Amino acid sequence: MRFSRMHLPTLKEVPAEAEVISHRLMLRAGMIRRLAAGIYSYLPFGLMALRNVEKIVRQEMNRAGAQEVLLPAVQPAELWQESERWDFYGKELLRFKDRHQRNFCFGPTHEEVITDLIRHEIRSYRQLPLNLYQIQTKFRDEIRPRFGLMRGREFIMKDGYSFDVDDTAATSSYQEMRAAYSRIFTRCGLDFRAVEADSGAIGGNFSHEFVVLADSGEDAIASCSKCDYAANIEKAQSRFIAGDVSLPDAGVAPAEAVATPDCESIAEVAAFFQTAPANILKSMIFESDLGFCMVVVPGDREVNEFKVKAALGANWLEVPPPARIIDELELPVGYMGPLPVKIPLLVDRLVPQMGALICGANRYGYHLRGVYWGRDFTSEQIADLVQVRAGEACPRCDGLLQIDRGIEVGHIFKLGTKYSEKLNAVFLDQDGQEKAMVMGCYGIGIGRTVAAAIEQNYDENGIIFPYALAPFKVALLNLDLKNEAVTSFCEKLYQEFLSRGINVLYDDRNERPGVKFKDADLLGTPLRLTLGRKGFKRGVIEVKLRREAEAREFPLENLEPLWSLLAELQADDSRI
RNA sequence: CGGGACGUAGCGCAGUCUGGCAGCGCACCUGCCUUGGGAGCAGGGGGUCGGAGGUUCAAAUCCUCUCGUCCCGACCA
């Protein structure tokens, strides 16, 4: 492609809306433009990058035995009512009516549609397994779209669905997808982790997120330094090192109430008593489908709501607003404690080891000091309820956990028979028995993958594309358009790239060199070739890798080194 | 949904407090000049100041409503 002919509007200045690096660079590099909140147009350069991700996804999905389809984006409400998600999905589901006042939605996901399709086609176990996928625009009416393509409302997603005869077969479909996903993100040149994720209400431990490591990521993951344990922070556990339960000696004074005016937070209470937050008990109220409960953890720890939910066996869990705690439970927010409470008490497994502790007195303006687990309060519900911290012990081996931030680019899920049962997607097995198909679903955010790649590969000058994702593999900078010898050499070289099938951006614009260098850096083209009058006179062409600081020079009369360098880059790219 | 900020040329912003000619930089067009890291000079085009209503002799500026965007939080398969 000739730069002079390409619609590639690069920006020197960044639109004020852009906060994170990938969003800024994608705007500056002329990849995307915003139309409305969370809704973007893809410009040629941006679309090329998306297509590169899609190409890899297609190759690996097909290799894993999946077949591509394209399902409707607009879906009738009836299907969603049948799966009982029309009422459950909430405001994220974009709904509208057609001219006949019939209800429709714009698909945020396609379990219903694919299951409907399959139930009309599949009758026999002989037709299974089946794995279908599509790459398509989705819409989720996010409460707060942000960060450009990272959390848009309209976005391009690869979503795939597998259908199997039983749980064992479904598990192997799942494992196959897991392997395919690893190949996909490896080929995209990303540093990622496949982490165990919360599997929600559906149960089982068959959900993995693929998380690209990046400090700006919205997700936190814990991983072991020694073994391959890795989990979303929502799900991560650490090995419990049991310590002594410190009971008070016989002579130790009973708990004592202390006036603590204006001490509603752990930090304020710690400052008042001149002690560490770890010696204070954090008491929180949660509400679930099973009613209210109180959760107590050491004051320096964060409650993990997913663990609380699991410990309760609840279907949903939320933190009630303070007004409800005050009105309905008559508990003083800011001064709550477990002595005593009328609602169920959940105690973190670390609490019995705290010794003499400080907690709220259930009376405004007062805390209790010298409180002991076992003497002053107790509970049968002791569980792991806190978020893991870096440096804690791995639950699987003797390694230590580290915490990283990352961007969720893929999520695979074993669905079981949730949808097949609701939508009656059944088949006859070998014994003539009717059975529900066992399903799995597998998503990849295409645009988010591009954004994540940029988030992980950039410097102060712009994007540094992994070779596989780079829209152009080579930028050819002609610095002396008016010099006939230089230009004719560049033209010849440009044609050579084209005939070799290498995607090249030939900067033939009538611009000063500085402009061309800046744009080449911004666009993140892996290899940059520069030819000007001076180099031509010396018989050399400058060759620079975007990733490296130093440029090299190759002789004009023998470009073999150039072709082998490109072959190297390409080979490195197709590693799996 | 709660809190905060913003909306003036394609982009980045000043002007708003204290009402009185619509501004600056970049980008764009023309010409000259320049050509190894976003040059220089000269000339030029481009605005319902987000929208509606109100106050006033006079509104980008003050008041009311409204729409949109961003940030923090809550929420969320």
Side-chain angles (χ1 to χ4, degrees), chain A residues 96-132:
Chain A
F96 44 85
K97 291 179 194 300
D98 70 2
R99 62 165 66 193
H100 306 294
Q101 300 303 304
R102 286 188 289 244
N103 284 309
F104 285 87
C105 64
F106 196 105
T109 177
H110 282 68
E111 283 84 5
E112 283 81 358
V113 175
I114 194 85
T115 308
D116 176 70
L117 183 73
I118 291 305
R119 67 177 167 182
H120 290 116
E121 316 288 337
I122 304 298
R123 294 271 93 100
S124 159
Y125 71 95
R126 292 173 200 274
Q127 295 168 286
L128 296 175
L130 195 56
N131 189 333
L132 301 176

Side-chain angles (χ1 to χ4, degrees), chain A residues 33-99:
Chain A
R33 290 292 183 260
R34 192 187 64 84
L35 178 64
I39 301 178
Y40 290 85
S41 299
Y42 304 102
L43 275 48
F45 189 67
L47 185 59
M48 289 168 83
L50 288 180
R51 292 286 186 246
N52 286 340
V53 173
E54 291 177 4
K55 191 175 78 188
I56 292 170
V57 168
R58 283 199 172 90
Q59 284 175 0
E60 293 301 334
M61 290 301 290
N62 293 346
R63 185 210 288 226
Q67 300 168 61
E68 186 168 6
V69 293
L70 186 56
L71 304 169
V74 173
Q75 309 177 12
E78 285 76 13
L79 264 185
W80 285 72
Q81 285 157 352
E82 208 175 330
S83 70
E84 295 172 15
R85 284 211 290 185
W86 184 257
D87 296 322
F88 267 108
Y89 208 91
K91 290 182 182 168
E92 241 179 63
L93 184 63
L94 178 65
R95 301 152 209 253
F96 44 85
K97 291 179 194 300
D98 70 2
R99 62 165 66 193

Side-chain angles (χ1 to χ4, degrees), chain A residues 342-392:
Chain A
K342 288 174 277 185
I343 53 178
L345 177 67
L346 265 73
V347 178
D348 182 72
R349 62 189 184 181
L350 295 168
V351 169
Q353 298 174 29
M354 287 175 73
L357 55 85
I358 295 163
C359 66
N362 284 337
R363 178 181 166 199
Y364 281 105
Y366 286 87
H367 279 81
L368 297 176
R369 138 168 94 188
V371 174
Y372 281 86
W373 160 261
R375 183 188 73 177
D376 301 314
F377 70 104
T378 184
S379 168
E380 281 169 16
Q381 289 188 285
I382 300 180
D384 174 20
L385 301 173
V386 298
Q387 250 179 42
V388 300
R389 283 201 295 213
E392 290 185 333

Side-chain angles (χ1 to χ4, degrees), chain A residues 223-518:
Chain A
S223 58
C224 178
S225 49
K226 259 190 168 170
C227 72
D228 62 358
Y229 177 75
N232 190 301
I233 198 88
E234 295 168 350
K235 163 138 184 161
Q237 302 186 329
S238 57
R239 189 152 42 84
F240 184 51
I241 314 280
D244 292 336
V245 176
S246 32
L247 288 168
D249 296 331
V252 171
E256 158 196 28
V258 180
T260 53
D262 299 320
C263 291
E264 299 195 356
S265 68
I266 295 288
E268 285 163 345
V269 176
F272 182 92
F273 286 100
Q274 299 196 325
T275 186
N279 298 322
I280 298 164
L281 194 67
K282 184 189 281 187
S283 308
M284 289 183 71
I285 301 295
F286 287 92
E287 186 183 10
S288 73
D289 47 319
L290 306 171
F292 288 104
C293 69
M294 176 181 278
V295 172
V296 293
V297 303
D300 59 336
R301 305 301 299 248
E302 295 300 320
V303 173
N304 181 325
E305 293 186 29
F306 294 88
K307 291 183 180 176
V308 173
K309 199 167 110 184
L312 286 169
N315 291 321
W316 57 268
L317 183 80
E318 61 185 35
V319 180
R324 294 196 54 205
I325 297 174
I326 294 164
D327 296 347
E328 297 176 34
L329 296 174
E330 298 177 336
L331 284 170
V333 173
Y335 301 93
M336 293 185 297
L339 276 67
V341 284
K342 288 174 277 185
I343 53 178
L345 177 67
L346 265 73
V347 178
D348 182 72
R349 62 189 184 181
L350 295 168
V351 169
Q353 298 174 29
M354 287 175 73
L357 55 85
I358 295 163
C359 66
N362 284 337
R363 178 181 166 199
Y364 281 105
Y366 286 87
H367 279 81
L368 297 176
R369 138 168 94 188
V371 174
Y372 281 86
W373 160 261
R375 183 188 73 177
D376 301 314
F377 70 104
T378 184
S379 168
E380 281 169 16
Q381 289 188 285
I382 300 180
D384 174 20
L385 301 173
V386 298
Q387 250 179 42
V388 300
R389 283 201 295 213
E392 290 185 333
C394 171
R396 304 254 173 94
C397 75
D398 62 351
L400 298 179
L401 295 180
Q402 63 180 62
I403 309 280
D404 295 291
R405 298 203 66 82
I407 301 157
E408 178 190 347
V409 290
H411 199 160
I412 60 176
F413 211 104
K414 220 175 103 186
L415 287 175
T417 54
K418 178 176 176 180
Y419 296 94
S420 50
E421 279 176 12
K422 287 220 163 81
L423 294 173
N424 199 35
V426 296
F427 65 97
L428 291 184
D429 70 7
Q430 292 184 55
D431 305 322
Q433 295 293 308
E434 189 172 87
K435 280 188 174 169
M437 298 173 207
V438 183
M439 294 173 58
C441 74
Y442 316 96
I444 291 179
I446 302 291
R448 194 183 271 189
T449 299
V450 173
I454 293 170
E455 212 63 50
Q456 207 171 63
N457 298 281
Y458 70 93
D459 64 15
E460 67 278 8
N461 293 314
I463 303 169
I464 306 175
F465 268 117
Y467 190 87
L469 300 193
F472 296 106
K473 311 306 180 192
V474 179
L476 174 58
L477 276 50
N478 178 347
L479 298 190
D480 257 305
L481 275 173
K482 288 180 184 151
N483 183 312
E484 243 173 70
V486 170
T487 295
S488 82
F489 191 91
C490 283
E491 288 285 344
K492 232 174 61 197
L493 190 51
Y494 174 53
Q495 295 303 332
E496 175 73 21
F497 276 114
L498 293 182
S499 66
R500 285 172 181 254
I502 295 166
N503 222 341
V504 55
L505 181 64
Y506 175 34
D507 197 340
D508 60 340
R509 293 175 301 170
N510 185 20
E511 289 285 356
R512 300 165 57 83
V515 175
K516 300 189 179 191
F517 287 127
K518 288 290 184 191

